[in-house]
Amino acid sequence: PNSFTPNEDGMNDRFGLYGNVECFYSKLTIFNRWGELIFETDKPQSDFWDGIFKGEIVMEGIYAYLLTGKNHHRTGMVMVTR
């Protein structure tokens, strides 16, 4: 998915990777529009971003992500909406 709604309604509240990603990717990092690191995990297949940064839900907008692995990397954008 390229968007999610972290509003705690139990539907589409987290951004994560689904499928067989552990074969390729070992790290997920998410950045705000100023390039500040706001989320990082070494378990992208099970540790999902809930839209929280510094104890607060982030503003609506588009955030960049970077998936890295031993032989692969991928960049993209995710939209946070309410």
Side-chain angles (χ1 to χ4, degrees), residues 53-73:
F53 177 59
K54 293 185 178 179
E56 302 284 329
I57 295 178
V58 297
M59 297 184 332
E60 282 188 300
I62 297 176
Y63 296 82
Y65 68 81
L66 172 63
L67 281 165
T68 55
K70 189 172 185 176
N71 297 317
H72 297 80
H73 72 278

Side-chain angles (χ1 to χ4, degrees), residues 6-79:
N7 57 9
E8 299 184 31
D9 67 355
M11 297 173 47
N12 202 27
D13 286 332
R14 301 179 299 159
F15 172 72
L17 306 175
Y18 300 95
N20 195 12
V21 296
E22 62 190 282
C23 293
F24 302 107
Y25 303 112
S26 58
K27 189 172 190 177
L28 170 65
T29 51
I30 299 177
F31 304 89
N32 64 18
R33 66 177 131 191
W34 299 281
E36 184 177 14
L37 177 66
I38 61 172
F39 179 80
E40 182 174 41
T41 181
D42 290 332
K43 298 177 183 173
Q45 65 276 5
S46 62
D47 189 13
F48 303 137
W49 183 41
D50 58 3
I52 302 291
F53 177 59
K54 293 185 178 179
E56 302 284 329
I57 295 178
V58 297
M59 297 184 332
E60 282 188 300
I62 297 176
Y63 296 82
Y65 68 81
L66 172 63
L67 281 165
T68 55
K70 189 172 185 176
N71 297 317
H72 297 80
H73 72 278
R74 178 178 223 169
T75 60
M77 302 289 182
V78 60
M79 178 184 281

